[in-house]
Amino acid sequence: MRAILLLIITFLAMPVIAKPPHGYPFQSFDKAMQQAQSEHKPLFVYFGRQGCGYCDLTNKQAFSDKQVREAYSKHYVLAYVDSESGKRLLLPSGERVTERELGTRYNAFVTPVFTFMTTDGQSLLRLVGVQRIIDLREADTKVQQLLSKPAIP
Amino acid sequence: MKQTSIWLSLLLLLAPACVQSQPWKFTKPIAISSNHGEKIFHHLESSGRHNIAISADTVAVAWEDNRDGTPRIYLARKGRNSKVFLDSIKISGAGEAYEPSLVALSNNQFVLSWEEDARIHLRLVTPSKLGPVITLAASEAAQPSLTYFDSQLLLVYARRDNRYSRIWMQDIEVDGQELHLKKACVVDSDPPQNEQSYPSIIKLPDRKIVAWEDRRLGHTIIMAAQSDKKKSCRFHSPQRISDALPNRTAKYGTGHGVARVALAQFGAGKVLAAWADKRDFREGYDIYAAHYQPNGKQLFTPNIKVQDSFGDVAQQWHTTVAGDQSGRLVVGWDDKRDGDANIMLSWLEGNNWSEDLAVPGADGPGEQNHPTISIDQEGNLHLAWVERTTINGPSQLRYLFGRLNKE
């Protein structure tokens, strides 16, 4: 009984902050978009929110993987969006919207949603909900294959 | 086949009855502003979604657009019986301006409040002139929301005090054609534990009610507080009004998300708070609401879902709510249950919410979203929204009128 109580207290005391995972160069969407455009790299956009349990779970069980960290830091410019925030962003079109509005545009109806995106804002692939290491690795492979294909004339 | 025909016949027979049960007959939509085109983006956004108002014979709509390259606040007006809005007028100054809140005074007069260069600004607009711009000199602030009732003009906004934003209320005197700042007070007197944002306010004869987003529990909840009956600039301790859901596991984190509360008064002293609520973690935000029914312990009732069950497979965004003195109450939002983003309405019928209505003229191909609604003294509905053909493409502003069906 005491052990269960201790477990509950430990769980309640855990900070569930659902911020981007440690060790990754996540930045705001507009800064990431600028960098992506200048470096001609795709974006990986993490739509989260404060208090999101699945975000925290994905951070712990998938983003903690060394290979995932290396691949995502190398292949993408990383953006984090708090999909309930009123913070303003500048879109590539010149439109200014809030982070929440960006989440609406990209249908971040649950959190987390991960969107692989071109530098003009087109979605390449979406992952919805909690992810495992294998999900992130497979998604990376898929997006890299998509990008390596020659453009249709 | 025969069975299908019978069902179809029944549906066709019932359809006119459904149409007749709508409280309003809608006219064709009209444009609000002629300033649109490539790279021009209109935003009907404000804390509480007060972007349309009616005073005497005038309908007014306030928004932000970047027609000259910088986001600025504009106002367009039309006579209630006119089918055309007059040219829009620029309300804000030289800085970047956002999220205008609009409220109607008497005699075709309006007041706007907006954020410009991270400060709150106010301006009175009469039929013949624009009043001077008043700036709240305090520290960084945003998300203003106005209300006017019983000759009292009130403003709430989120002001950054050190680490966190907290909700402030400003009393404003309307003296003829001038505005004067009077008392100001913080709504929650305890030091903020996290961000407070997006407030909305209602004035009742003997009190004020303020609701806002609050992250004190590590996720966003809706909080509300009411003022002291004797000390008008002092509020009682706030309460959480969005439900705390029991028996939830770690996957929910600290709690589910909610966003953007809007308040409306209806009938004699009745108030509804409505917001987007993500307690259904599979299908995203739904429209939830709570009635103001103080019982000594709780200010608001437990939460009720406003949208009908057909809406459960879609996500609901941009909650707007309006009521009138005779007791009409309507909630609006946008969702994509039919594939396109359409403007939806549900109204109170006795104690129940009506089936959802995709507003004719504010539905169909393309995107119709960011609704803002108001009900005039005759019970007619006024609706404005943003229309786009592509997701990040240029936008236009639309308006339509719903004439009350007289029974």
Side-chain angles (χ1 to χ4, degrees):
Chain A
M1 187 63 191
R2 184 178 287 180
I4 293 169
L5 195 66
L6 197 66
L7 202 66
I8 292 168
I9 291 167
T10 308
F11 171 72
L12 289 174
M14 275 166 53
V16 188
I17 51 172
K19 286 182 177 169
H22 289 297
Y24 288 78
F26 276 95
Q27 51 190 326
S28 70
F29 180 83
D30 45 2
K31 283 184 183 162
M33 182 60 88
Q34 278 177 10
Q35 187 185 331
Q37 286 173 338
S38 68
E39 294 177 6
H40 306 289
K41 281 170 85 172
L43 284 102
F44 174 75
V45 186
Y46 184 147
F47 291 96
R49 70 170 176 87
Q50 193 172 37
C52 162
Y54 279 143
C55 304
D56 203 44
L57 196 58
T58 304
N59 291 352
K60 282 175 188 158
Q61 74 176 20
F63 282 110
S64 55
D65 180 69
K66 192 182 168 195
Q67 262 184 277
V68 168
R69 182 164 55 242
E70 284 173 0
Y72 277 66
S73 300
K74 183 181 171 191
H75 294 156
Y76 311 101
V77 179
L78 307 175
Y80 180 81
V81 176
D82 177 340
S83 53
E84 289 182 345
S85 162
K87 186 186 161 197
R88 285 199 190 86
L89 305 166
L90 181 63
L91 300 184
S93 62
E95 183 177 11
R96 287 185 186 277
V97 299
T98 60
E99 288 196 303
R100 173 159 178 79
E101 187 55 30
L102 189 74
T104 309
R105 299 269 175 96
Y106 286 98
N107 200 19
F109 64 99
V110 295
T111 50
V113 166
F114 305 98
T115 303
F116 297 82
M117 206 179 277
T118 62
T119 50
D120 59 356
Q122 298 296 314
S123 176
L124 293 164
L125 182 72
R126 252 164 74 90
L127 304 173
V128 177
V130 69
Q131 304 296 320
R132 302 163 300 170
I133 292 169
I134 192 167
D135 299 326
L136 292 180
R137 284 186 187 170
E138 283 177 359
D140 173 46
T141 305
K142 206 170 177 179
V143 170
Q144 292 306 310
Q145 282 170 353
L146 268 175
L147 293 169
S148 64
K149 281 184 186 170
I152 298 165
Chain B
M1 183 66 192
K2 193 178 171 184
Q3 228 175 8
T4 311
S5 303
I6 293 167
W7 279 113
L8 201 63
S9 305
L10 271 171
L11 273 174
L12 285 170
L13 280 171
L14 286 171
C18 293
V19 171
Q20 278 171 6
S21 69
Q22 291 172 25
W24 303 282
K25 185 181 179 185
F26 295 98
T27 59
K28 284 185 178 173
I30 60 171
I32 294 170
S33 169
S34 56
N35 292 89
H36 53 84
E38 282 300 309
K39 304 278 182 190
I40 298 179
F41 305 103
H42 304 81
H43 297 125
L44 274 175
E45 290 285 356
S46 64
S47 193
R49 300 200 70 76
H50 298 303
N51 293 80
I52 188 167
I54 300 97
S55 173
D57 298 324
T58 307
V59 177
V61 180
W63 71 93
E64 168 255 304
D65 76 45
N66 64 334
R67 69 183 69 168
D68 67 357
T70 301
R72 301 191 197 285
I73 307 305
Y74 296 91
L75 180 79
R77 289 171 288 181
K78 76 173 196 69
R80 284 222 280 183
N81 296 320
S82 171
K83 291 182 178 170
V84 183
F85 275 87
L86 301 172
D87 286 345
S88 57
I89 48 176
K90 184 165 80 76
I91 299 295
S92 58
E96 285 191 6
Y98 298 99
E99 299 186 7
S101 180
L102 174 69
V103 73
L105 308 185
S106 57
N107 300 322
N108 302 299
Q109 298 185 110
F110 298 89
V111 175
L112 293 100
S113 182
W114 67 96
E115 176 200 337
E116 184 171 339
D117 291 338
R119 297 288 185 277
I120 303 297
H121 296 70
L122 280 161
R123 195 166 207 182
L124 176 70
V125 181
T126 72
S128 57
K129 70 170 193 177
L130 285 173
V133 173
I134 295 171
T135 304
L136 270 64
S139 55
E140 184 183 327
Q143 301 151 9
S145 192
L146 290 163
T147 193
Y148 182 71
F149 179 78
D150 214 10
S151 300
Q152 192 167 14
L153 180 62
L154 297 164
L155 166 73
V156 281
Y157 60 97
R159 174 176 133 183
R160 187 154 296 281
D161 289 342
N162 299 317
R163 190 174 173 192
Y164 299 119
S165 278
R166 65 200 302 204
I167 307 304
W168 281 76
M169 188 197 73
Q170 174 71 55
D171 194 354
I172 303 150
E173 183 189 19
V174 184
D175 178 17
Q177 296 197 347
E178 291 183 0
L179 302 177
H180 301 287
L181 299 180
K182 308 302 277 186
K183 280 183 187 173
C185 51
V186 69
V187 174
D188 179 6
S189 56
D190 287 343
Q193 301 159 44
N194 208 320
E195 294 291 337
Q196 299 176 2
S197 58
Y198 289 97
S200 187
I201 182 168
I202 285 292
K203 167 84 172 65
L204 295 179
D206 62 350
R207 72 195 79 173
K208 297 139 191 162
I209 300 154
V210 180
W212 68 92
E213 286 180 25
D214 199 304
R215 292 188 169 189
R216 68 183 64 192
L217 298 181
H219 65 112
T220 315
I221 59 172
I222 307 296
M223 301 280 292
Q226 66 178 357
S227 65
D228 191 286
K229 287 181 187 175
K230 290 174 185 166
K231 295 177 181 171
S232 64
C233 213
R234 182 174 172 182
F235 283 81
H236 295 286
S237 294
Q239 292 182 358
R240 176 180 183 160
I241 64 168
S242 57
D243 286 340
L245 303 176
N247 304 321
R248 291 259 161 143
T249 57
K251 64 191 178 191
Y252 295 93
T254 49
H256 72 280
V258 295
R260 308 301 186 266
V261 62
L263 293 176
Q265 187 182 353
F266 64 107
K270 296 179 183 174
V271 174
L272 183 88
W275 62 88
D277 191 306
K278 208 161 64 173
R279 67 186 66 187
D280 176 356
F281 71 96
R282 288 187 183 88
E283 299 298 344
Y285 292 97
D286 297 312
I287 307 298
Y288 274 81
H291 288 275
Y292 173 69
Q293 272 177 23
N295 59 11
K297 284 185 180 175
Q298 294 297 317
L299 289 177
F300 281 78
T301 61
N303 301 170
I304 39 178
K305 194 194 273 186
V306 173
Q307 79 210 37
D308 64 24
S309 52
F310 292 106
D312 289 350
V313 293
Q315 297 82 49
Q316 283 67 39
W317 310 96
H318 308 119
T319 319
T320 179
V321 55
D324 71 5
Q325 290 298 310
S326 67
R328 285 182 197 87
L329 181 66
V330 58
V331 177
W333 66 89
D334 56 78
D335 75 36
K336 290 186 177 176
R337 72 182 70 182
D338 298 320
D340 299 299
N342 295 327
I343 307 298
M344 309 296 297
L345 297 177
S346 180
W347 52 92
L348 201 57
E349 293 179 325
N351 291 321
N352 300 313
W353 290 96
S354 72
E355 287 184 4
D356 301 344
L357 171 74
V359 180
D363 65 345
E367 295 210 329
Q368 290 79 209
N369 49 31
H370 298 82
T372 177
I373 55 176
S374 186
I375 299 177
D376 65 27
Q377 287 187 332
E378 285 80 48
N380 305 309
L381 185 80
H382 301 258
L383 162 69
W385 73 95
V386 177
E387 193 173 273
R388 290 172 187 261
T389 51
T390 55
I391 186 171
N392 283 321
S395 55
Q396 293 196 47
L397 295 171
R398 297 283 185 194
Y399 162 88
L400 65 70
F401 175 68
R403 185 176 299 285
L404 183 69
N405 288 322
K406 301 268 168 67
E407 289 174 11

